[in-house]
Amino acid sequence: MQKVETRWQTKEGLLQLIKELVHIQSITGSKEEISLALYIQQQLQLLTYFQNNPEHVKLHPTGDGRFSVAALVKKEGATNTVVLVSHFDVVNVDDYGKWKDLAFRPDELTAQFYENAHVLPADARADVESGEWLFGRGIMDMKCGVASQLALVERAANGLFDGNILLLAVCDEEVNSKGMISTVPLLLEWEEKYNLHYVACLNCEPMFARYPGDSTKYIYTGSLGKILPGFFCYGKEAHAGEPLAGLNANMMTSYITCELELNTDFCEEVEGEITPPPTSLLQRDLKKEYSVQTPHKGVSLYNVFLMEKSIMQITDELRAAAERAARAIEGAYRKQAQQFATLQCSVPQEMSVRVISFAELLSYANQMYGRERIAALTAQGQDERELAISYVDEMVTLCSELAPCIVLFYVPPFYPAVSSRHHEGIRTVTKCVLTQAWEQYGIAIQEQKYFGGLSDLSYTGLSQPLDKLSENMPLWGTIYELPLQELQSLHLPVLNIGPVGKDAHKWTERLDVAYATGPLQELLRDAVEQLLNP
């Protein structure tokens, strides 16, 4: 008779697992991120199923020294398989201030917050005093989700699902999603190797408020996409005593930001859901030391969310914004030059700013200076974004005759938008979850078409060509690439059912313990069973 293992099936056991996962300080890029992958693998290996099938659980390398964890529970004769996706990395804890040392110790941190409730924001103070919430970095985003999925794997290992469960617990979701991207080929490999039929991909990211004060509970049938455009501004150098003899890059980037920051023209609406407007993630000049030479090179990056827009469409819109900024820069320069000329009794000069894409810049550089010389250009930086910026800098500096100019380019990461709101199976399961939550627990849950925070569900398929992205992303295929062919082969329906939490990526991040260890687990179990047996 098979041994029934229930370490994570009770409320107490699940909560203990959540705390153990939080205790490991798996900040993206840290040694502890690797340690947590090893811990998850070791915990799974304690299950009798994996002791009998050791090849079904493995560390999957990302290629940079880190690992994700893949684990398959295969039921004899079954092909239908639900893929469980979760991430175990977290953002850093600098925002915790004097409580930084307690950020990964939920019980102690919550106790400290209770004793110092007066310093908390009002909503966090109410939650800590209720005694129903637990605080800590990653507890909602998304160690609770990881624990919930491990509990589902344990349940599958006990033979309690009529189908197969494939867990992907991945690293690096908070930065570049290398964990999920690197497992895409593994999904296809195991699909063939173990004769699997993937019926859906289930994520357990926490619910996110759509606006401040939103207390609605959600499940998600898709996930927002994201593109990260950059604008490299190459002006014209000048002495600070002759500013009108040049064009300051800081002025140029400021006009770009005025065009894009919070510009609701870039908001996309699908069935009543709206993407947040763009916002600046970086803006600076590239002058390395102090001098009285004006900065003539600058760069800015912007977060832009997508739902159904194509890359071609958003590229056209971004270029149009850059053109408007260029004309505004020319107009502002002309006005000030003319006013100064009346004071100085001089002749004002004109300043013309061209807008080009990185693809156009690369084509021009190859034609003018030769492919061999362009191929020899180098880039410097600590991460993929810095490397891309450095590469554009090298190329546009070589082609300085194009200045003043604004170069539109893209940097990593790119998240494709994904939605299964029209998928019959996902619609059926979603309706059942909402009904069960209300009838069994009196909990009202709403369907949201797109998860408001980025998620690894983006890498479960690909619905549009990415030519405009790849040709305008410096060093595509070197510092960043996506397994395009494999993604096109996957096309998994997606669903996200997760815990109730608040303040992800804030020092007041917290989890509703009662919901996480109670109703959520029942909803997940029933949803998995329905996905396996549509």
Side-chain angles (χ1 to χ4, degrees):
M1 185 175 179
Q2 179 179 332
K3 177 185 177 183
V4 176
E5 295 161 303
T6 59
R7 279 190 301 159
W8 307 321
Q9 302 305 307
T10 65
K11 292 183 178 182
E12 296 76 16
L14 182 66
L15 182 57
Q16 183 59 34
L17 175 61
I18 293 170
K19 293 177 183 179
E20 289 171 0
L21 294 172
V22 174
H23 289 163
I24 301 176
Q25 305 177 22
S26 54
I27 296 171
T28 314
S30 68
K31 293 180 179 179
E32 287 79 8
E33 186 183 19
I34 300 172
S35 298
L36 188 46
L38 294 170
Y39 176 82
I40 292 171
Q41 180 198 35
Q42 291 164 359
Q43 292 302 305
L44 289 169
Q45 288 173 332
L46 294 176
L47 295 174
T48 303
Y49 175 87
F50 292 112
Q51 292 174 6
N52 294 333
N53 301 274
E55 71 281 4
H56 284 197
V57 59
K58 65 172 291 186
L59 293 176
H60 186 70
T62 60
D64 58 5
R66 292 179 292 175
F67 301 92
S68 297
V69 182
L72 171 66
V73 179
K74 181 87 164 67
K75 191 159 189 175
E76 186 175 355
T79 59
N80 281 0
T81 307
V82 170
V83 178
L84 304 178
V85 169
S86 55
H87 72 87
F88 52 76
D89 64 314
V90 299
V91 297
N92 66 47
V93 295
D94 292 341
D95 53 328
Y96 280 82
K98 61 184 177 182
W99 289 300
K100 184 175 179 179
D101 292 341
L102 299 179
F104 296 103
R105 291 147 65 181
D107 287 327
E108 295 175 58
L109 180 66
T110 304
Q112 279 295 312
F113 282 173
Y114 184 83
E115 293 178 8
N116 297 273
H118 61 284
V119 305
L120 297 175
D123 61 335
R125 181 166 61 249
D127 287 342
V128 74
E129 290 175 346
S130 75
E132 297 175 357
W133 295 73
L134 202 58
F135 291 69
R137 172 60 80 232
I139 196 163
M140 68 166 281
D141 184 19
M142 63 169 296
K143 299 294 179 68
C144 177
V146 176
S148 298
Q149 294 195 349
L150 288 172
L152 291 172
V153 171
E154 182 183 57
R155 185 173 178 83
N158 287 330
L160 299 179
F161 284 127
D162 188 16
N164 311 317
I165 297 295
L166 172 53
L167 170 73
L168 298 177
V170 303
C171 62
D172 191 52
E173 189 268 357
E174 298 290 3
V175 179
N176 288 319
S177 283
K178 283 185 177 179
M180 183 61 188
I181 292 170
S182 65
T183 61
V184 169
L186 180 69
L187 275 173
L188 295 175
E189 176 190 331
W190 279 17
E191 181 181 36
E192 181 177 354
K193 181 177 180 180
Y194 295 112
N195 188 28
L196 307 178
H197 170 58
Y198 298 137
V199 295
C201 182
L202 175 64
N203 202 347
C204 294
E205 288 275 11
M207 303 177 192
F208 274 69
R210 297 178 68 178
Y211 50 85
D214 180 19
S215 60
T216 307
K217 295 177 175 61
Y218 300 101
I219 66 172
Y220 306 90
T221 53
S223 192
L224 286 179
K226 165 185 169 170
I227 200 163
L228 196 55
F231 296 85
F232 193 99
C233 295
Y234 197 128
K236 186 176 180 182
E237 67 274 19
H239 191 286
E242 299 181 278
L244 287 165
L247 184 61
N248 196 311
N250 286 332
M251 174 190 180
M252 298 174 73
T253 55
S254 68
Y255 273 86
I256 296 286
T257 293
C258 286
E259 274 293 330
L260 287 177
E261 182 68 24
L262 304 181
N263 185 346
T264 55
D265 288 344
F266 284 87
C267 293
E268 188 178 355
E269 188 271 335
V270 172
E271 297 185 21
E273 295 185 10
I274 311 292
T275 59
T279 190
S280 173
L281 296 182
L282 178 148
Q283 180 176 322
R284 67 167 185 263
D285 65 63
L286 300 180
K287 191 175 172 182
K288 293 182 172 61
E289 69 287 316
Y290 171 80
S291 74
V292 288
Q293 183 189 60
T294 57
H296 63 285
K297 292 190 288 187
V299 67
S300 52
L301 303 178
Y302 303 87
N303 190 90
V304 180
F305 287 116
L306 306 172
M307 290 192 289
E308 294 186 346
K309 281 185 182 179
S310 68
I311 304 301
M312 181 175 293
Q313 181 181 353
I314 192 63
T315 300
D316 290 343
E317 292 176 0
L318 290 166
R319 182 163 189 153
E323 290 282 2
R324 292 193 298 271
R327 303 295 80 79
I329 293 165
E330 294 168 351
Y333 176 89
R334 184 182 305 112
K335 177 182 178 180
Q336 298 304 325
Q338 290 173 347
Q339 291 180 351
F340 184 75
T342 61
L343 299 173
Q344 188 70 26
C345 298
S346 59
V347 179
Q349 67 174 357
E350 288 291 319
M351 193 68 70
S352 178
V353 180
R354 74 179 81 210
V355 175
I356 59 175
S357 67
F358 175 76
E360 292 167 343
L361 173 64
L362 178 59
S363 176
Y364 175 87
N366 282 329
Q367 182 179 353
M368 296 299 295
Y369 299 99
R371 293 182 180 276
E372 185 175 343
R373 184 171 182 183
I374 299 307
L377 293 177
T378 59
Q380 298 179 343
Q382 296 298 313
D383 68 8
E384 291 85 350
R385 287 144 293 278
E386 294 296 333
L387 287 165
I389 292 168
S390 174
Y391 192 68
V392 177
D393 188 358
E394 289 290 316
M395 191 176 298
V396 78
T397 299
L398 179 64
C399 304
S400 58
E401 64 273 15
L402 296 176
C405 65
I406 298 170
V407 181
L408 167 63
F409 64 106
Y410 294 117
V411 300
F414 168 67
Y415 286 80
V418 59
S419 176
S420 295
R421 67 187 187 278
H422 299 309
H423 185 276
E424 184 177 350
I426 296 299
R427 287 169 61 90
T428 299
V429 173
T430 297
K431 184 178 180 179
C432 289
V433 170
L434 302 187
T435 301
Q436 180 186 3
W438 178 250
E439 293 183 350
Q440 189 170 342
Y441 299 104
I443 296 173
I445 301 179
Q446 292 183 14
E447 175 194 355
Q448 190 172 334
K449 308 302 189 299
Y450 291 90
F451 177 65
L454 298 171
S455 83
D456 282 332
L457 289 178
S458 284
Y459 305 108
T460 56
L462 197 59
S463 59
Q464 64 166 305
L466 300 184
D467 297 351
K468 282 293 180 183
L469 176 74
S470 59
E471 71 183 26
N472 286 301
M473 185 177 287
L475 301 172
W476 174 275
T478 302
I479 63 170
Y480 186 78
E481 64 179 332
L482 296 175
L484 300 180
Q485 185 174 348
E486 290 88 346
L487 284 171
Q488 289 169 346
S489 299
L490 268 182
H491 257 328
L492 298 183
V494 300
L495 183 62
N496 192 107
I497 305 173
V500 176
K502 295 180 184 178
D503 293 352
H505 296 195
K506 297 182 181 181
W507 62 278
T508 48
E509 178 180 356
R510 57 198 183 274
L511 176 73
D512 181 337
V513 174
Y515 182 82
T517 59
L520 175 62
Q521 302 309 309
E522 290 294 333
L523 295 176
L524 285 172
R525 293 166 192 164
D526 289 352
V528 168
E529 193 60 60
Q530 290 176 58
L531 289 169
L532 289 170
N533 298 278

